[in-house]
Amino acid sequence: MTSMSRARVARRIAAGAAYGGGGAGLVGAAVVGLVLAEVRLARRQLGNGLSGRVPTADGVYGRAYDIPGEPPLRLAVLGDSTAAGQGVHRAGQTPGALLASGLAAVAERPVELRNVAVTGARSDDLDRQAGLLLSAPGPVPDVCVIMIGANDVTHRMPPAQSVRHLSVAVRRLRTAGAEVVVGTCPDLGTIEPVQQPLRWLARRASRQLAAAQTIGVVAQGGRTVSLGDLLGPEFEANPRELFGPDNYHPSAEGYATAAMAILPTVCAALGLWPEEERPDVSRREGFLPVARAAAEAAAEAGTEVAAAMPAGPRGPWALLKRRRRRRVPEAEPVTPSV
């Protein structure tokens, strides 16, 4: 499928989200149902390998940067089991902890983390999660990171409905004053037990949703980072290292790779990243119609898309960035918040 074709598909799904449409998606409900069946069968055959318990990582990171009278930055994480960090044993290995520790190092300021992500969550749970954050005592988070989409695909949620739920949550958080960064739907075609031709179909469904998510998020003032097949080459070369014990969720190394891709965009959203907010032609960055930027990002993991300029004859425009990634070490032991 060409970039232009992917852009058209993404526009159709996003338009359905905006105007209340539904539909099973371009790959078809039957096809996605087959993917769902194979993934579930594979997980039953392999066993989860874990109790399902996710380490609690909430608390304050970067205490060494504490300045009396200056409050910590507030980071919130929403989404599904990948956002929660299922598949690892230590709190410091979860994506929230890795992002909080990395953000503290860049900002040279403590970061208070709250993670409300839930294993098994789909996009229709984001409104509840956002409500937990916004109804809590204290200030609104400075930045929210959302990782969502895989369960929407495997549970056959219509893509337009999925994007609509995500867009509403992003709008709610942005209206409250938080910056929002969304890690879009990962590539389900990288899950080792899924065989061809379902592997190709899972990849196609994932990318279609990821591109449509980007259009919806950018329209609400958020930024996206494509997770896509970020771990694909590593999974193929060394799946035992980058998959967790259940061969479905990432391992600690896998989460570190994902956090390394998301952290620069989190920092940029807060004005903390050293790169200028303009395209670097040498890295194939540029201003593009948002649907085309979304399609290109979905095809290349680690790519950021953010709103850039008012809509023109070709629709709204976006800035496509390929920020340099930095290694994110395992987070230091957490100091529980009180």
Side-chain angles (χ1 to χ4, degrees), residues 32-60:
V32 176
L34 287 173
V35 175
L36 167 64
E38 179 143 337
V39 169
R40 285 180 170 170
L41 176 62
R43 293 188 70 187
R44 282 199 300 270
Q45 290 173 339
L46 290 166
N48 190 10
L50 293 171
S51 66
R53 176 185 170 275
V54 177
T56 300
D58 286 13
V60 178

Side-chain angles (χ1 to χ4, degrees), residues 306-330:
M309 59 185 71
R314 298 173 65 184
W317 286 66
L319 173 59
L320 185 145
K321 293 279 291 180
R322 295 179 171 90
R323 299 187 187 276
R324 293 185 179 88
R325 302 173 196 162
R326 299 184 180 182
R327 176 69 178 158
V328 179
E330 182 175 337

Side-chain angles (χ1 to χ4, degrees), residues 57-331:
D58 286 13
V60 178
Y61 293 76
R63 286 285 192 185
Y65 302 109
D66 193 17
I67 299 175
E70 184 174 355
L73 289 171
R74 294 168 298 277
L75 167 67
V77 178
L78 306 84
D80 54 22
S81 56
T82 304
Q86 184 170 350
V88 295
H89 298 284
R90 295 193 295 272
Q93 298 172 326
T94 63
L98 293 167
L99 288 170
S101 184
L103 178 58
V106 173
E108 296 185 343
R109 184 174 167 187
V111 173
E112 183 176 3
L113 169 68
R114 186 176 184 200
N115 194 324
V116 295
V118 177
T119 296
R122 289 169 278 181
S123 293
D124 56 3
D125 190 52
L126 290 176
D127 187 62
R128 183 193 65 82
Q129 294 181 27
L132 288 176
L133 293 174
L134 298 180
S135 63
V140 171
D142 294 293
V143 61
C144 297
V145 173
I146 302 174
M147 300 169 69
I148 200 78
N151 294 321
D152 295 23
V153 173
T154 59
H155 287 77
R156 291 180 281 181
M157 178 180 288
Q161 182 180 334
S162 173
V163 173
R164 185 160 57 249
H165 286 300
L166 174 59
S167 298
V168 168
V170 172
R171 181 169 64 247
R172 188 176 179 187
L173 293 168
R174 291 288 293 131
T175 300
E179 298 291 339
V180 179
V181 175
V182 175
T184 55
C185 182
D187 183 358
L188 296 179
T190 62
I191 298 174
E192 188 184 35
V194 177
Q195 302 300 315
Q196 296 289 12
L198 296 184
R199 182 183 292 265
W200 178 85
L201 294 168
R203 172 169 290 117
R204 187 179 176 194
S206 304
R207 288 185 176 182
Q208 285 178 357
L209 178 57
Q213 285 177 318
T214 292
I215 294 176
V217 169
V218 170
Q220 303 303 328
R223 303 181 185 222
T224 64
V225 178
S226 170
L227 298 182
D229 61 351
L230 181 68
L231 306 178
E234 291 91 339
F235 281 157
E236 292 172 6
N238 197 356
R240 292 297 176 264
E241 179 180 338
L242 287 179
F243 271 123
D246 62 359
N247 275 41
Y248 183 82
H249 293 97
S251 66
E253 184 69 19
Y255 282 126
T257 303
M260 184 168 56
I262 295 173
L263 178 60
T265 299
V266 170
C267 294
L270 295 172
L272 299 172
W273 201 243
E275 296 178 16
E276 296 185 21
E277 293 294 289
R278 62 182 182 182
D280 184 338
V281 178
S282 68
R283 288 189 285 174
R284 296 177 294 110
E285 299 177 348
F287 295 103
L288 298 170
V290 67
R292 184 178 165 193
E296 291 200 13
E300 183 174 348
T303 305
E304 174 190 322
V305 179
M309 59 185 71
R314 298 173 65 184
W317 286 66
L319 173 59
L320 185 145
K321 293 279 291 180
R322 295 179 171 90
R323 299 187 187 276
R324 293 185 179 88
R325 302 173 196 162
R326 299 184 180 182
R327 176 69 178 158
V328 179
E330 182 175 337

